[in-house]
């Protein structure tokens, strides 16, 4: 598992010196749980403590409180990792879809800060059909939204373009399959904040695995 110490130093994050378990160890435990224990943080805590990797492990209640207190740091880490991967990506093609958790596609697109370089192309399924959004992205940001067209679409694409869009879409389905294999049968969370933390951990874990491990 990639250490979080370098990232913490880069953003000048300060641990409370009175604590035996560092913030980096708390986040690492959550990511280990997502990657190897289907999100079961109790199993991850026991493994990391008994193996001696993180001997000063917190009990369940204190660990949950610390993890929730670090949620903004985790979301910032998620953002920074994405920016790093985007900066090192020589391709300008991106895939967009709803994560396999209930969400509204078009509304999510309008709220998404794309922050992509000009001439990028985003491939999405037909649920993202929004001609106004397509025109605005192309005119203002020089980004092409390549949504699959429905049969009754007013902007039908040539057959070869439709084939390429469909073939490209299969790649994101593969990624989703890899993420959902990490899921338990049900994602248990007492609060909505806790649910978001667990979902973020699953996505971060698979990102670390594919990019750095």
């Amino acid at each position: 598992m990639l250490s979080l110490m370098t990232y913490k130093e880069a953003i000048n994050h300060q641990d409370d010196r009175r604590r035996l378990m560092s913030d980096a160890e708390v986040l690492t435990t959550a990511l280990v749980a997502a990657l190897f224990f289907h999100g079961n943080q109790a199993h991850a805590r026991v493994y990391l403590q008994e193996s001696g990797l993180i001997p000063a492990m917190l009990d369940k209640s204190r660990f949950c409180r610390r993890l929730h207190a670090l949620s903004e740091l985790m979301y910032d880490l998620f953002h920074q990792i994405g920016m790093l991967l985007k900066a090192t990506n020589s391709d300008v093609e991106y895939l967009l879809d709803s994560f396999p958790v209930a969400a509204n596609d078009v509304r999510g697109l309008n709220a998404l800060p794309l922050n992509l370089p000009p001439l990028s192309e985003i491939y999405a399924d037909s649920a993202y059909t929004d001609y106004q959004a397509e025109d605005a992205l192309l005119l203002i940001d020089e980004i092409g939204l390549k949504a699959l067209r429905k049969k009754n679409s007013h902007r039908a694409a040539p057959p070869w373009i439709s084939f390429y869009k469909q073939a490209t879409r299969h790649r994101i389905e593969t990624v989703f399959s890899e993420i959902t294999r990490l899921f338990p049968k049900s994602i248990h969370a007492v609060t909505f904040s806790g649910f978001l933390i667990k979902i973020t951990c699953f996505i971060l874990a698979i990102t670390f695995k594919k990019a750095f491990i």
Side-chain angles (χ1 to χ4, degrees), residues 80-158:
Q80 295 298 331
I81 292 295
M83 295 295 288
L84 173 64
L85 295 177
K86 190 163 54 177
T88 57
N89 179 26
S90 59
D91 203 343
V92 291
E93 292 185 342
Y94 298 86
L95 304 176
L96 177 66
D97 204 349
S98 301
F99 189 72
V101 174
N104 187 299
D105 296 328
V106 174
R107 290 184 61 186
L109 171 63
N110 293 330
L112 190 64
L114 296 175
N115 193 23
L116 299 176
L119 305 182
S120 296
E121 294 183 338
I122 303 173
Y123 290 88
D125 64 25
S126 58
Y128 288 91
T129 299
D130 185 330
Y131 301 140
Q132 186 175 0
E134 285 185 27
D135 294 341
L137 278 173
L138 189 60
L139 179 64
I140 300 172
D141 299 313
E142 298 183 73
I143 294 175
L145 178 59
K146 309 294 185 180
L148 290 172
R149 298 304 189 196
K150 299 177 182 179
K151 292 183 178 180
N152 61 348
S153 173
H154 296 297
R155 299 185 184 181

Side-chain angles (χ1 to χ4, degrees), residues 2-204:
L2 180 70
S3 170
L4 299 177
M5 292 304 297
T6 302
Y7 170 74
K8 287 176 56 187
E9 293 168 359
I11 64 172
N12 194 30
H13 178 78
Q14 300 295 324
D15 269 308
D16 188 334
R17 295 182 181 275
R18 297 169 297 178
R19 291 171 173 168
L20 297 178
M21 186 175 182
S22 69
D23 291 343
E25 289 174 329
V26 172
L27 293 181
T28 297
T29 302
L31 294 179
V32 167
L35 191 56
F36 300 108
F37 297 98
H38 298 290
N40 191 314
Q41 294 169 357
H43 290 175
R45 287 175 42 252
V46 170
Y47 168 76
L48 291 171
Q49 184 177 36
E50 293 185 348
S51 65
L53 294 172
I54 304 181
M57 182 62 67
L58 297 171
D59 61 38
K60 178 180 178 180
S61 178
R62 292 173 63 198
F63 177 82
C64 288
R65 290 198 300 270
R66 284 280 299 281
L67 181 59
H68 277 72
L70 292 170
S71 60
E72 291 302 320
L73 178 62
M74 182 190 300
Y75 300 145
D76 186 60
L77 173 63
F78 178 81
H79 173 74
Q80 295 298 331
I81 292 295
M83 295 295 288
L84 173 64
L85 295 177
K86 190 163 54 177
T88 57
N89 179 26
S90 59
D91 203 343
V92 291
E93 292 185 342
Y94 298 86
L95 304 176
L96 177 66
D97 204 349
S98 301
F99 189 72
V101 174
N104 187 299
D105 296 328
V106 174
R107 290 184 61 186
L109 171 63
N110 293 330
L112 190 64
L114 296 175
N115 193 23
L116 299 176
L119 305 182
S120 296
E121 294 183 338
I122 303 173
Y123 290 88
D125 64 25
S126 58
Y128 288 91
T129 299
D130 185 330
Y131 301 140
Q132 186 175 0
E134 285 185 27
D135 294 341
L137 278 173
L138 189 60
L139 179 64
I140 300 172
D141 299 313
E142 298 183 73
I143 294 175
L145 178 59
K146 309 294 185 180
L148 290 172
R149 298 304 189 196
K150 299 177 182 179
K151 292 183 178 180
N152 61 348
S153 173
H154 296 297
R155 299 185 184 181
W160 59 90
I161 297 296
S162 297
F163 175 80
Y164 183 74
K165 288 181 180 179
Q166 189 65 56
T168 304
R169 291 289 308 149
H170 288 318
R171 288 154 53 190
I172 199 168
E173 293 171 3
T174 300
V175 174
F176 279 176
S177 177
E178 292 177 343
I179 297 174
T180 53
R181 276 200 294 269
L182 300 178
F183 282 14
K185 291 183 178 180
S186 63
I187 300 176
H188 174 73
V190 178
T191 65
F192 181 64
S193 175
F195 176 77
L196 289 180
I197 288 172
K198 286 198 171 183
I199 291 296
T200 303
C201 284
F202 284 121
I203 301 175
L204 261 179

